[in-house]
Amino acid sequence: MVVAIDGPAGAGKSTVARATARALGFTYLDSGAMYRAAALTLLEEGGAASESAERLQIDVGERVIANGRDVTEAIRTPEVSEAASRIATNEKVRAALVAKQRALLESGDWVAEGRDIGTVVAPEAEVKVFLTASPEERARRRADELRADLETVQRDQALRDAQDEGREHSPLRPAAGAIELDTSGLSVEQVVERIASLARAARMG
Ligand code: DC
């Protein structure tokens, strides 16, 4: 079974997806980590973005191991965030990473998180959720998480939102049949419980 959780940066996807996977006993897939790892390789080694994506050997568990190296922290810098958002507009990069994600999701039970899980990677997912939060709340969460300046985070976020929503290939939007969940003012536990009960209901039905 696949539970797809999509939405913009800062909506709480990672925290919620991780906790939902734990609550259900499913495996967590952070698809953004794949875009980030491909971007890191590109920044370090140069060449074509599509080659970085195609060659990427990645294990996205508790730690993110890319091409044999632990990049868990290295992929979270602002430079990598920006580069990941940029290469995510490239059709060949997306095709390469989507293929890797589909191969993983083929068997087992997953909570997969990203931007296009419900629309492109796993449109047949039994549960699809589109998480949102107000731009202010999203920026506040990111700034706390990165211990960064709120105004800078807000500006970067607006740029990345425009890039993620406006790109030609797989722009960020809710999938058909997705349940939209605004997490502003909700606790992580409340959001997790909501999604976990959707998954349990889907399993029964
Ligand atoms: O969720 P994140 O911030 O780690 O994602 C990093 C970048 O990768 C972000 O700009 C959007 C892109 N991305 C994507 O296009 N499709 C996905 N399934 C996941 C991430």
Side-chain angles (χ1 to χ4, degrees):
M1 164 172 220
V2 175
V3 176
I5 302 183
D6 293 301
K13 285 192 312 284
S14 302
T15 313
V16 164
R18 228 180 260 279
T20 305
R22 208 173 306 122
L24 292 167
F26 289 12
T27 311
Y28 165 60
L29 175 64
D30 175 1
S31 65
M34 293 191 174
Y35 288 86
R36 288 171 176 276
L40 178 67
T41 309
L42 182 66
L43 289 175
E44 288 179 346
E45 296 175 12
S50 56
E51 277 171 29
S52 299
E54 280 156 17
R55 275 191 285 116
L56 185 70
Q57 300 238 349
I58 188 159
D59 181 8
V60 202
E62 274 304 302
R63 311 288 300 174
V64 180
I65 312 294
N67 303 327
R69 184 176 130 215
D70 188 329
V71 295
T72 313
E73 281 85 29
I75 59 170
R76 300 291 158 195
T77 66
E79 292 73 29
V80 173
S81 297
E82 205 287 318
S85 176
R86 196 155 25 85
I87 66 163
T89 64
N90 180 313
E91 193 178 11
K92 285 190 187 160
V93 167
R94 302 204 69 82
L97 298 184
V98 166
K100 292 182 202 294
Q101 291 153 20
R102 283 189 180 144
L104 287 171
L105 299 181
E106 222 160 63
S107 57
D109 292 320
W110 295 86
V111 176
E113 171 225 325
R115 303 292 193 289
D116 62 343
I117 306 297
T119 50
V120 177
V121 178
E124 73 297 344
E126 287 85 347
V127 177
K128 296 180 210 167
V129 176
F130 194 79
L131 277 195
T132 58
S134 68
E136 296 73 25
E137 176 136 352
R138 289 166 46 213
R140 205 168 334 109
R141 288 177 186 165
R142 268 274 144 126
D144 283 352
E145 186 183 303
L146 301 170
R147 292 197 192 82
D149 169 60
L150 181 60
E151 263 181 42
T152 312
V153 170
Q154 228 155 359
R155 205 173 43 235
D156 290 353
Q157 176 178 281
L159 280 175
R160 283 211 288 146
D161 281 355
Q163 198 153 268
D164 293 345
E165 287 162 18
R167 71 182 172 220
E168 185 184 350
H169 306 292
S170 313
L172 177 66
R173 61 179 169 76
I179 288 164
E180 292 196 45
L181 204 54
D182 186 333
T183 65
S184 311
L186 293 183
S187 70
V188 172
E189 292 72 27
Q190 286 171 315
V191 179
V192 169
E193 191 34 51
R194 181 79 204 283
I195 302 173
S197 48
L198 288 170
R200 290 189 194 104
R203 175 138 281 179
M204 310 263 287

